[in-house]
Amino acid sequence: MSAADTIYALASGAAAGAVAVLRLSGPGTGEALRGLAGSLPPARRASLRRLRAPDGEILDHALILWFPGPASYTGEDAAELQLHGGRSVIAGVMEALTAAGLREAEPGEFTRRAFLHGKMDLTAAEGIADLVAAETAAQRRQALHQADGGLAKLYGGWAERLARLLAHQEAAIEFAEDGLPTDLDAKARAGAGELRAEIEAHLADARRGELLREGLVFAIIGAPNAGKSSLLNALVGRDAAIVSARAGTTRDIVEARLDLAGVPVTLSDTAGLREAGDEIEAEGIKRAERRAQEAQLVLTVFAADQPPDAETLRWVGPEALVLVNKCDLAPAPAAIAEVPVIAVSAREGIGLATLRDRLAEAALRLTGAGQGNQLTRPRHRAALTEAATLLAEAEGAALPELTAEALRAALFALGRLTGRVGVEEILDIVFRDFCIGK
Amino acid sequence: MTGADLTFDVVVVGGGHAGCEAAAAAARCGARTLLLTHKIETIGEMSCNPAIGGVGKGHLVREIDALDGIMARAADAAAIHVKMLNLSKGPAVRGPRAQADRRLYREAVQALLRDQPGLTIMAGGAEGLELDQAGGLAAIITADGQRIRCGAAIITTGTFLRGEIHIGEKRFPAGRVGDAPAIGLALAFERLGLPLARLKTGTPPRLDGRTIDWAALEAQPGDDPPEPLSWMTERITNRQVSCGITATTPETHAIIRANLESSAVYGGRIQGVGPRYCPSIEDKVVRFADRERHQIFLEPEGLDDPTVYPNGISTSLSEAVQEQVVASIPGLTKARILRPGYAIEYDHIDPRALTLALEMREVPRLFLAGQINGTTGYEEAGAQGLMAGINAARRASGGDPDASLTRSEAYIGVLVDDLTLQGVSEPYRMLTARAEHRLSLRADNAGLRLTERGIAWGCVGSERAARHRAFATAVSAALARAATDGASPAALSGFGITVNQDGRRRSVLEVLALPSLALEKIEAAFPWLRDLGPPIRTQLEAEALYAPYLRRQEAERRLLEREEKANIATTLDFDAVDGLSAEMRQRLKAARPATLGAAGRVQGVTPAALAALAVHLRRDAQRFT
């Protein structure tokens, strides 16, 4: 019989808390529970039990939950133990489980087992992984949607439509003599066009889902001593970057994490842009410019008491935020290079609330806030891009069998996200939709 | 008469399309072969419609021919109406089909078998199978007690295994109208514990052509000139006839609806599953109730035979209702029914019990081919018979039965892989949609794909081998010339061929790939094309049209190759694979895929199950290295 081992892991994280949750999965779960608690509790009901070590010593009073397979998260026999969170309690129970022949799970092993038992498809499994790693509310929303099968439903729906297009095309090829409608080929091409447009719209999302999953990068750019580091410190509310009156204090990139309306953002303070004084500063400036290029949003910072410098002006544009700092020292202009400015004073705290709002707005716009069906992984993007390309090919193919060929390849590409669609499924549609056969 | 034991290398039981190809192929491979059949005079009988080929089926016929089988040659000798189907589509999905004179076909098959050296034909029925101590096949026992020892046997009993015919409420045991069923063999299979299941198929009533009002009907002529099915046929010499086209009427449908109880299927007297692509007229009327007409092709069964096969009204209604149905159809109002249509139920063996050589996994030296494996159609039967014949001959000579074709090489490969891996849930028919390598598996290049394989297996005669090699050389030369010869856009426009005036020279292949361009213009630009025969030109055309797609398919195939090379040991215990659900275990155990790639094709096997299997195989491999 199956040689699957039984695994356990602390599900509540390593930090000590009031309650620690230990999760078990595998064929030996029932036996392990009996060993710890004396007998199996009723299935799927919380039961308070004394847990004992093999030598009879009481380890804890714990709430235990028993989930016989396949109606469990992993599809195997599984259990959850809610222990008191003390380190010695947890260590004692783990020791007892190890003594009973269980082993500690590898990272992601529970989800992998759930996937292998057909409890979820690949996109849902990815959603679970993201859910566990989510840092912010928007990330959590997006991951939850995916784990619930939101993407699987969208992609599965497309695969179903594609299968039908292919089936109708195959019917036209296979049963030319059966008096089928004569416009099947034209309809298949038109249907391929519609589907392609939908997939392309989904792809043209400016990578919102992926950005939310990975987190955004905002870069602060400006002349030396414009007050970039002060601004960073003021925004994150702590002294993340060293601040001094000396121009060129920041030479490398200083990063700080922000949660802006539920979106994780890495704010990067960079070296001031100017003619470099030495090799180290030159490298710092090079890094600043590279970071500004990679960033989803650039904050250009000018000082109110200085005329706008040419190096920073290069970064001003409709996509960038234009800040004028030190507005407590001199009046800020209304616009620079025709872009309206946000006047702030990092030192006095002037305009920071407005700035924070503008940043949150940008973060939400760039990530879509985790709402709806968002692409979250390059793997999805690659498969969908390929499917869209093939659908375009199907639309324009010179012969009916080439349309079918392109549709089949597109279905194969989508199948990498949703699971393979086989010939029998195609034939089922053919014979359901048409009266075939002489 | 129980004589002394007979001994042959290969014994073939059954003289239908599978049996004839099997016997001929085994004999061509040098095996001393016996064809054992109930009636010698019905060898090569076309018991269903009088046509060979079609889309998918025509591909199979050409492949059988490429391996020097007999079906295509017999069909050419009997052809009275030939059509290349899908002519408006590309070469990959064009399928040749010949309506055959039933008597001429039978005679041609019998003549080819008579002329086959090493083949003995004997009348008799097989009743039992004798196994040796190791459980392998040792001998066939005939109905009259004769023991025939053999190195291998091929059972091709079609629908005869516990066959039962239904006409309305009448039912009687039969293998085919007028022939007794094979009960003894079914029992023998049952005793061996082989998995049996029940299928059904049907035929329409046969009409007297002299009572059909042909003048009132649309006539469908064949192609002129008719293209032969076989590479070995110079041209078709029979007089060619037209088929008629008519259709059912609302009145027909009303009659059927009012009499559904009389149908054996709808009356609940038949449990077997019928083919979806060959539904009875009752099925069509019930399932597509909004259709007002269903097309019927009236196919003459012979030049000197008034019998007409009305293709499209297969039925198991009672004889009286069949008469009303026929009379309600334009052109058939006075038509006389010569034989009523019927449904036939029969046993088949679950082909998942077979290896890729079509040999029973549990009973070495016992091969099965044709309808007994759950297929329908002469072509599907013939293709299996051919492969079983070649492999049985190898087995009998002490070699390995390892002559098999892959899905990327041939429709035959698709057929055998589907049968042995997926089994059947309805009578299996070949469709080009089943072949993922459809663009390269064409009817026009069957010889180029397969004849060399056949020569290596010893089943191809010297005449065909010589003809094939000459053709292959000519095609290579033409392809090479078409790839190198070419013209500038300016020169091409002089011949009325418009391409982008970018100064880039276009090869002949590129010009051939241009959409909707008259061939005459291309020939005017490159006169040497005129000297090529049509078969070579078709190769150029296909190469031009499909090259980019073929390259992509090749890339896809290479991607899957690793999976195809991950062998699954025949002893693998699927119960020991972690993470397989009970359903996946059951599917995989029944299919016994030989590779991870094959496992991926097993219907219903999920990507998750495949991942689990892959993990297990890798773990296993590590353990042994």
Side-chain angles (χ1 to χ4, degrees):
Chain A
M1 258 319 289
S2 173
D5 21 358
T6 302
I7 53 173
Y8 65 85
L10 200 54
S12 52
V19 178
V21 178
L22 252 182
R23 209 181 218 187
L24 283 65
S25 180
T29 301
E31 205 41 53
L33 271 190
R34 257 193 291 269
L36 277 174
S39 66
L40 274 183
R44 281 175 283 280
R45 293 249 297 277
S47 315
L48 186 64
R49 293 295 178 93
R50 277 193 191 87
L51 305 188
R52 289 171 192 273
D55 62 5
E57 190 196 341
I58 295 181
L59 295 167
D60 195 11
H61 287 211
L63 266 187
I64 64 176
L65 285 146
W66 158 237
F67 304 100
S72 71
Y73 171 72
T74 55
E76 304 174 324
D77 286 350
E80 272 183 32
L81 313 176
Q82 303 187 2
L83 311 171
H84 291 101
R87 285 185 201 284
S88 77
V89 173
I90 299 170
V93 175
M94 284 188 169
E95 244 169 65
L97 290 173
T98 307
L102 279 66
R103 68 167 169 83
E104 212 171 336
E106 293 156 23
E109 197 171 357
F110 282 90
T111 302
R112 190 166 67 89
R113 287 187 176 202
F115 170 68
L116 287 178
H117 284 95
K119 283 279 167 182
M120 58 183 75
D121 83 341
L122 205 49
T123 57
E126 287 166 344
I128 300 279
D130 289 350
L131 193 55
V132 173
E135 290 174 23
T136 68
Q139 278 187 325
R140 193 188 63 232
R141 261 199 306 277
Q142 171 164 298
L144 205 56
H145 181 74
Q146 188 175 346
D148 274 352
L151 280 184
K153 214 159 114 194
L154 177 71
Y155 299 160
W158 283 342
E160 231 169 79
R161 271 168 64 189
L162 189 45
R164 206 178 142 104
L165 291 175
L166 177 57
H168 286 204
Q169 188 68 0
E170 291 296 357
I173 290 172
E174 220 72 56
F175 303 103
E177 281 203 314
D178 281 54
L180 300 181
T182 49
D183 59 351
L184 287 175
D185 184 55
K187 277 195 174 153
R189 287 166 199 261
E194 283 161 28
L195 191 54
R196 176 186 50 75
E198 275 176 54
I199 294 178
E200 279 174 353
H202 179 66
L203 284 167
D205 64 348
R207 296 187 63 243
R208 280 192 297 269
E210 286 147 284
L211 286 176
L212 176 57
R213 191 175 156 266
E214 294 156 9
L216 295 168
V217 174
F218 290 180
I220 306 176
I221 285 277
N225 232 349
K228 297 183 296 298
S229 300
S230 305
L231 208 52
L232 175 90
N233 290 344
L235 282 170
V236 302
R238 62 187 168 89
D239 289 339
I242 301 170
V243 179
S244 86
R246 234 180 77 194
T249 305
T250 306
R251 299 187 142 204
D252 203 345
I253 291 168
V254 178
E255 294 186 332
R257 296 283 273 178
L258 274 180
D259 179 341
L260 288 173
V263 179
V265 175
T266 303
L267 198 57
S268 309
D269 178 25
T270 64
L273 306 176
R274 66 169 173 184
E275 197 70 30
D278 58 34
E279 226 173 278
I280 299 174
E281 193 182 2
E283 176 60 25
I285 291 172
K286 209 158 60 178
R287 288 184 186 194
E289 294 189 321
R290 201 183 312 138
R291 178 57 57 96
Q293 257 150 20
E294 292 162 359
Q296 284 81 40
L297 183 72
V298 175
L299 289 69
T300 55
V301 181
F302 299 92
D305 56 350
Q306 299 286 329
D309 57 298
E311 281 85 358
T312 308
L313 271 175
R314 283 199 298 116
W315 292 94
V316 172
E319 299 296 317
L321 285 188
V322 180
L323 311 183
V324 175
N325 194 18
K326 306 187 186 180
C327 71
D328 53 324
L329 300 182
I336 291 178
E338 291 173 28
V339 180
V341 308
I342 305 166
V344 295
S345 164
R347 200 171 58 185
E348 300 299 324
I350 300 168
L352 287 181
T354 311
L355 175 58
R356 219 182 277 278
D357 285 350
R358 294 288 299 277
L359 291 177
E361 218 172 84
L364 289 176
R365 177 171 47 78
L366 286 164
T367 60
Q371 303 287 359
N373 286 313
Q374 304 216 87
L375 262 175
T376 55
R377 287 177 190 248
R379 186 176 77 83
H380 300 176
R381 183 172 297 282
L384 292 171
T385 306
E386 193 187 335
T389 309
L390 289 161
L391 283 168
E393 198 178 299
E395 280 176 86
L399 289 163
E401 71 270 26
L402 294 178
T403 296
E405 180 65 24
L407 290 174
R408 191 189 63 79
L411 192 57
F412 191 80
L414 266 191
R416 270 183 258 138
L417 300 182
T418 61
R420 217 177 281 192
V421 181
V423 176
E424 278 309 313
E425 283 88 348
I426 300 297
L427 294 180
D428 283 343
I429 299 172
V430 169
F431 295 118
R432 197 184 61 223
D433 288 1
F434 301 110
C435 181
I436 297 286
K438 293 193 285 185
Chain B
M1 54 129 231
T2 308
D5 289 357
L6 293 172
T7 304
F8 282 90
D9 293 334
V10 173
V11 175
V12 178
V13 178
H17 303 274
C20 291
E21 289 296 351
R28 286 202 302 281
C29 288
R32 287 193 316 108
T33 305
L34 173 71
L35 175 60
L36 184 68
T37 182
H38 280 113
K39 284 190 204 163
I40 289 176
E41 62 273 23
T42 58
I43 286 177
E45 178 69 50
M46 305 175 96
S47 25
C48 196
N49 65 322
I52 301 272
V55 180
K57 287 168 173 285
H59 292 73
L60 280 174
V61 177
R62 284 276 171 85
E63 291 184 356
I64 293 171
D65 187 59
L67 295 168
D68 220 3
I70 60 176
M71 182 172 280
R73 280 180 281 168
D76 286 339
I80 55 174
H81 174 108
V82 177
K83 217 170 151 55
M84 183 63 81
L85 300 179
N86 270 343
L87 207 52
S88 66
K89 304 187 177 81
V93 293
R94 289 179 204 156
R97 186 187 59 197
Q99 312 281 353
D101 177 306
R102 203 184 284 283
R103 179 179 58 81
L104 292 180
Y105 186 82
R106 209 168 48 222
E107 285 172 4
V109 168
Q110 290 176 14
L112 284 162
L113 293 183
R114 258 199 319 274
D115 293 346
Q116 175 62 52
L119 176 60
T120 307
I121 301 174
M122 190 172 100
E127 278 291 309
L129 306 170
E130 186 184 309
L131 304 190
D132 60 21
Q133 281 175 338
L137 184 86
I140 298 285
I141 313 297
T142 68
D144 44 17
Q146 173 80 56
R147 187 161 171 268
I148 309 169
R149 292 190 298 155
C150 55
I154 307 169
I155 309 295
T156 68
T157 47
T159 59
F160 280 57
L161 272 191
R162 260 196 302 239
E164 187 177 36
I165 281 181
H166 296 254
I167 305 173
E169 290 178 15
K170 271 200 293 187
R171 61 207 281 184
F172 51 92
R176 174 167 66 198
V177 160
D179 290 308
I183 307 279
L185 264 187
L187 292 175
F189 282 130
E190 225 161 45
R191 273 195 300 275
L192 286 175
L194 299 181
L196 293 167
R198 211 135 170 87
L199 291 174
K200 75 133 195 162
T201 186
T203 69
R206 307 303 158 86
L207 308 177
D208 184 339
R210 294 165 298 193
T211 60
I212 292 174
D213 182 6
W214 295 99
L217 298 173
E218 183 191 339
Q220 188 194 42
D223 294 344
D224 187 23
E227 180 180 324
L229 288 181
S230 173
W231 215 230
M232 302 302 281
T233 307
E234 292 299 340
R235 64 195 159 84
I236 287 169
T237 52
N238 291 326
R239 174 165 67 85
Q240 299 293 292
V241 300
S242 289
C243 293
I245 300 180
T246 181
T248 56
T249 61
E251 190 198 341
T252 318
H253 300 180
I255 295 167
I256 291 169
R257 265 187 223 110
N259 289 284
L260 274 182
E261 263 310 298
S262 111
S263 154
V265 176
Y266 281 88
R269 292 178 291 281
I270 290 186
Q271 273 80 47
V273 184
R276 287 179 297 181
Y277 30 75
C278 197
S280 64
I281 188 63
E282 299 95 287
D283 262 343
K284 293 188 201 177
V285 168
V286 170
R287 288 188 46 228
F288 296 91
D290 53 332
R291 291 269 302 249
E292 291 196 339
R293 63 196 298 276
H294 294 282
Q295 194 162 256
I296 302 165
F297 289 85
L298 298 171
E299 301 170 354
E301 294 207 350
L303 292 174
D304 310 324
D305 180 348
T307 310
V308 165
Y309 186 96
N311 206 340
I313 51 168
S314 149
T315 182
S316 65
L317 291 163
S318 72
E319 292 186 56
V321 179
Q322 288 187 33
E323 273 169 23
Q324 292 178 52
V325 165
V326 167
S328 71
I329 295 169
L332 306 184
T333 46
K334 298 202 177 87
R336 198 161 64 85
I337 294 180
L338 295 173
R339 276 194 306 284
Y342 61 86
I344 179 162
E345 256 193 312
Y346 55 97
D347 279 356
H348 79 98
I349 308 264
D350 182 345
R352 289 178 295 184
L354 304 176
T355 66
L356 288 173
L358 298 175
E359 185 178 19
M360 304 247 28
R361 203 177 287 115
E362 307 293 335
V363 188
R365 294 188 292 287
L366 179 60
F367 293 74
L368 302 182
Q371 247 170 324
I372 191 172
N373 289 337
T375 60
T376 168
Y378 310 141
E379 305 82 353
E380 289 82 353
Q384 292 171 66
L386 175 76
M387 296 312 291
I390 296 169
N391 281 302
R394 291 166 96 77
R395 184 55 112 184
S397 70
D400 281 330
D402 55 2
S404 70
L405 295 164
T406 65
R407 299 181 71 90
S408 60
E409 286 174 318
Y411 275 85
I412 294 177
V414 173
L415 170 72
V416 173
D417 183 67
D418 279 348
L419 289 178
T420 57
L421 197 61
Q422 321 284 12
V424 296
S425 52
E426 65 176 331
Y428 180 100
R429 168 186 166 171
M430 184 47 72
L431 300 163
T432 67
R434 298 193 194 275
E436 54 274 56
H437 302 281
R438 171 162 70 190
L439 298 182
S440 50
L441 304 184
R442 302 188 302 271
D444 65 64
N445 68 358
L448 294 174
R449 290 185 280 119
L450 301 177
T451 301
E452 279 301 332
R453 299 294 299 275
I455 293 169
W457 290 334
C459 68
V460 171
S462 55
E463 195 189 336
R464 181 184 299 266
R467 200 178 277 213
H468 156 72
R469 284 182 173 149
F471 178 67
T473 308
V475 169
S476 309
L479 276 173
R481 188 164 177 190
T484 47
D485 191 13
S488 68
L492 286 172
S493 70
F495 295 100
I497 301 169
T498 19
V499 296
N500 271 347
Q501 294 293 324
D502 53 10
R504 191 176 65 80
R505 187 171 175 279
R506 303 295 199 280
S507 73
V508 175
L509 281 180
E510 282 175 280
V511 175
L512 282 169
L514 295 173
S516 56
L517 192 59
L519 191 63
E520 295 82 57
K521 290 181 181 172
I522 305 176
E523 285 178 348
F526 307 102
W528 60 271
L529 288 173
R530 285 197 196 111
D531 304 332
L532 303 175
I536 296 177
R537 274 223 299 260
T538 306
Q539 295 309 309
L540 291 189
E541 182 195 0
E543 175 66 26
L545 285 171
Y546 296 145
Y549 297 85
L550 295 178
R551 274 196 292 275
R552 192 170 67 210
Q553 276 198 343
E554 180 56 24
E556 215 174 81
R557 196 187 61 74
R558 267 201 301 270
L559 208 67
L560 294 173
E561 197 167 50
R562 231 181 60 187
E563 287 183 9
E564 291 299 337
K565 281 188 177 154
N567 287 320
I568 299 175
T570 48
T571 51
L572 176 74
D573 177 8
F574 286 104
D575 285 331
V577 178
D578 287 352
L580 286 182
S581 67
E583 186 198 344
M584 292 301 133
R585 289 208 165 103
Q586 195 218 329
R587 283 178 189 274
L588 289 166
K589 277 190 218 170
R592 286 233 64 98
T595 65
L596 191 60
R601 291 193 302 275
V602 175
Q603 208 194 333
V605 166
T606 61
L610 213 56
L613 194 54
V615 168
H616 185 92
L617 292 177
R618 205 167 303 164
R619 209 183 283 158
D620 251 12
Q622 276 163 1
R623 199 178 311 147
F624 291 120
T625 50

